[in-house]
Amino acid sequence: QVQLEESGGGSVQAGGSLRVSCAASGLNAHYCVGWFRQASGKEREGVARLHVGKGTTYYADSVKGRFTISQDNAKNTLYLQMNSLKPEDTAIYYCAATFRAPLWGCPALLVSEYTYWGQGTQVTVSS
């Protein structure tokens, strides 16, 4: 059974940096993991994804060049490093995971494509 738990959220001023973490159990090389966010009153949206086995990554245009998704296999932890933060990055950030067949790449960054979810961590960026 896959379990995910986010941590590391907080408050930061615009232009600052923050790293959120996702402690994972039950993952293997056949999983894709994604970071999603949900701002108040808005739908949840995907920001980045990573194939655990292949290491390939993808970013939404809104965060490309500012956010970096990575993994530490020894610690079973996933990270989202967020730089040059903007007030519009304020949201609850969730990590999610889904199983993929061996020859498949990661699915699109859609909520419906991911099976397992953490509880979320709040990130607030002030202007």
Side-chain angles (χ1 to χ4, degrees):
Q1 181 72 8
V2 173
Q3 292 185 315
L4 306 168
E5 184 173 0
E6 303 91 339
S7 62
S11 297
V12 64
Q13 289 191 327
S17 298
L18 201 63
R19 187 179 76 168
V20 291
S21 303
C22 177
S25 62
L27 297 181
N28 59 41
H30 298 303
Y31 278 83
C32 288
V33 293
W35 281 99
F36 292 75
R37 66 186 181 186
Q38 187 167 17
S40 180
K42 295 188 176 181
E43 293 187 354
R44 194 170 299 189
E45 63 172 357
V47 297
R49 69 171 189 238
L50 175 147
H51 192 291
V52 175
K54 300 177 183 179
T56 52
T57 59
Y58 172 87
Y59 298 90
D61 287 343
S62 59
V63 305
K64 197 174 296 181
R66 300 189 298 122
F67 290 13
T68 303
I69 186 172
S70 62
Q71 60 182 333
D72 184 332
N73 292 330
K75 295 182 179 180
N76 294 319
T77 302
L78 305 159
Y79 301 101
L80 185 68
Q81 176 68 43
M82 303 180 288
N83 299 328
S84 302
L85 282 162
K86 305 174 182 180
E88 51 264 44
D89 294 318
T90 295
I92 298 175
Y93 282 72
Y94 300 88
C95 64
T98 191
F99 178 82
R100 304 297 284 173
L103 296 181
W104 292 11
C106 286
L109 269 172
L110 300 173
V111 171
S112 59
E113 295 283 358
Y114 287 77
T115 307
Y116 305 98
W117 291 83
Q119 83 289 348
T121 186
Q122 176 72 46
V123 171
T124 303
V125 184
S126 58
S127 57

